Amino acid sequence: MAKYVAIIGAGISGLPAIKQCLDSDLIPICFEQNSSIGGLWRYEDISEKNKEPYSTIYKGILTNTSKEMSTYSHFPIPVDWPTYLNQTYVEKYIDMYAENFNLLPHIKFNTTVLKVSILPDKRWKVKYIIKSENEEKEEIFDFVMVCSGHHSKPKWPEFKGMNLFKGEQLHSYKYKRAIDFENKRVLVVGAGNSAMDIAVELTHVTSQVYISIRSGNLPWIVPRFVKGKTRDHINRFSAYIIPPSIRGKIIENSVIKSFPIPSHLKFPTDPIIATFPTINSEIFQCLAAGTIIVKPNIKELKSENNQFEFVDGTILENIDVVIYSTGYYIDYPFLEKHIYTGGDEIEQVYEKDFHDIVWLYKSIFPPKYPNIAFIGVALGAGAFLPVSEMQARYVTSLFKGSIKPLPSKNEMERSIRKYYENVRKKYCKSARSGIRLSYLPYMDALSKEVGCYPHPYEIFKKFGFNFWKLFMFGMATPIQYRLIGRDSWEGAKKAIILYNEYSFKNATRESRVYKSWKYIFIVLLILLNRNGIFKKLINVYWKIFNK
């Protein structure tokens, strides 16, 4: 009997969900509240007709992950496109993907999901309304995939005097273009990616930009390119052989040496691997030139002369605009909250550390409701597109029954508790740490469940030593998960070679000394492995690292 899947949202998570349902002979019906695909990445201007646009992106946005690491696994982003994509390129790629796999006929546009509730027979009832018809409707589904993301309900900070301030106050989700703030004095509150991007963009048109960092310290700021190389072009060898603490120190030293900051500012004392680094290539020049001035947390807003008083006692006057780039709540208004938070008991235990709790097995499934899946609820795991796609492959394989089923409810509960305990140990406490994932280990773990894990030995057997070298030491692009196993793709090898060739051609070439040492190291590992020493060392390392 055919199984029906409700997919909520036709953005970068919903589109691969539709595709994977079709590949698994499931029947998807996708509900999209807007008139087009793309979700947050479909730019919308604020106008009289559209005062509250769904999309939170601004005109000058640029991806923080490279195209080679951001692509869907068997529909590569064109190799000659820029390394980092602006909003126009992302929109174009999403349109190409949907057209290539004929996804649009499976989407109900201009349709808002009002409520999703579970029935006594464990199926789901979806209540929705179509704008043009203005009439509530209901449909029953065997499964639900929630793909609406977690950047839709803005977090507003609370400062004394906000109601008295006579200037303009807005959340960053309403920021669209810099020209709207020409010749104004602007204070940006926040230190994440959006805050830094907006602050830098504003320097081109405003009279002065200030940025208030609530913690009082700069975050780790990493440029998109470090020493001529793309920041996120990780490879399997370094990801698994070099301890994370060492990799973190290498990045820290590169940033400190290459991008000096003014003497009165300091980098954070927490190691970079324990934080969420901010990705920005221009902020250092702005700080050095004084076009962006850093201030500590706000103490109070005052009506007199549009003043801001900060916790260090300093005061700014004549501020025209304050932009709060203070993040978003994880919120699904069409669902009862306990479904994805685990309920009051769980929230009381963990929200004091993480604020936003999602009680999901493998960051996807609520243990009590294994036939509803949340796609794309992740941070720090590289690009959203390939992570969402891999999650969709895993979920649809489970729904179809083509892989081993989920473990028992108690096992899933234990796994989630272990995850949160590990997060507490490894990372700084923050609202976002509760949905933090490590890209390659997470993708590899899911791919093993799906049956598409690119085992290095199998890659060596099938493709030979030369390609194996590229597989291990070249970028770990998500296309690797189409090389062997379930749903493999014949074009994967060629696409990986093209991506690596293009990347090397446009980056600073490795020195011969470094190449020599790299291969000497490989030979040393092979020699150690003859006596089983290497395997023992790795086993010891992983036991220590995974404690």
Side-chain angles (χ1 to χ4, degrees), residues 145-173:
M145 296 175 75
V146 180
C147 304
S148 52
H150 51 90
H151 289 85
S152 57
K153 184 179 179 181
K155 282 183 181 177
W156 287 82
E158 294 182 3
F159 296 118
K160 183 180 178 182
M162 286 177 69
N163 59 323
L164 302 175
F165 181 68
K166 294 178 181 179
E168 183 182 358
Q169 299 182 73
L170 68 149
H171 193 276
S172 58
Y173 86 97

Side-chain angles (χ1 to χ4, degrees), residues 53-67:
Y54 175 75
S55 175
T56 60
I57 65 167
Y58 39 93
K59 199 67 177 176
I61 197 169
L62 201 63
T63 58
N64 289 326
T65 52
S66 65
K67 70 174 185 294

Side-chain angles (χ1 to χ4, degrees), residues 424-437:
R424 276 174 163 167
K425 292 175 185 176
K426 292 180 183 178
Y427 306 122
C428 296
K429 293 177 182 178
S430 75
R432 299 180 293 168
S433 290
I435 57 173
R436 179 163 182 162
L437 299 171

